[in-house]
Amino acid sequence: MVADRPGEFHLAASALVIREAGQGDPTAARARLMALDGVTLLDATAEAEQLARELIALGAVSPGAAVDAAHIAIAVTNRVQYLVTWNFRHIANAAMRSRIERVCRSTGYEPPVICTRHELMEVSHGDQ
């Protein structure tokens, strides 16, 4: 995203993202961590922990996907405009998006736009 649209977005992540990026194949993990070097880290607050619990309790995220609920809650409570993900199972699908948005709003938060990297990249009329 940053390479495709320099200066247009401010990239942020949480410590959860950093931890996940460091897992798996050591060479790939090193490359992922290098790509995240210097990225603004979002706060994982008690407010985010409470929202994550609400997302699960109110059925927006399954109990087995608590880490995904935490990703969402951290983004929401830090007022992130776009939550970019490739997690189609628990976050980036039409059914989950509407549930997540409903719970966020019912608990007093405005949800971010949940999308994939490709959905975020608008096509200019000259590119069509």
Side-chain angles (χ1 to χ4, degrees):
M1 175 170 47
V2 174
D4 294 341
R5 307 282 286 273
E8 191 164 341
F9 298 102
H10 177 81
L11 189 59
S14 69
L16 291 174
V17 171
I18 303 299
R19 184 173 43 226
E20 288 177 351
Q23 296 174 347
D25 175 74
T27 302
R30 192 169 27 264
R32 288 189 297 268
L33 291 171
M34 286 178 58
L36 289 166
D37 187 46
V39 168
T40 300
L41 286 181
L42 302 173
D43 293 325
T45 62
E47 181 182 15
E49 290 176 18
Q50 177 60 36
L51 180 56
R53 286 191 294 273
E54 291 292 326
L55 287 163
I56 293 168
L58 296 173
V61 178
S62 70
V67 172
D68 295 327
H71 282 299
I72 296 163
I74 291 167
V76 170
T77 58
N78 280 277
R79 292 162 180 64
V80 168
Q81 186 175 6
Y82 298 98
L83 173 55
V84 180
T85 183
W86 49 86
N87 181 331
F88 297 103
R89 185 169 186 188
H90 298 121
I91 302 175
N93 69 59
M96 299 310 292
R97 284 179 185 143
S98 63
R99 291 179 197 162
I100 292 164
E101 290 170 357
R102 185 176 61 250
V103 170
C104 288
R105 289 187 176 112
S106 75
T107 55
Y109 297 99
E110 184 59 28
V113 173
I114 297 172
C115 58
T116 67
R117 174 184 176 273
H118 297 291
E119 288 174 313
L120 185 61
M121 308 308 286
E122 68 182 277
V123 177
S124 70
H125 294 290
D127 293 342
Q128 295 179 354

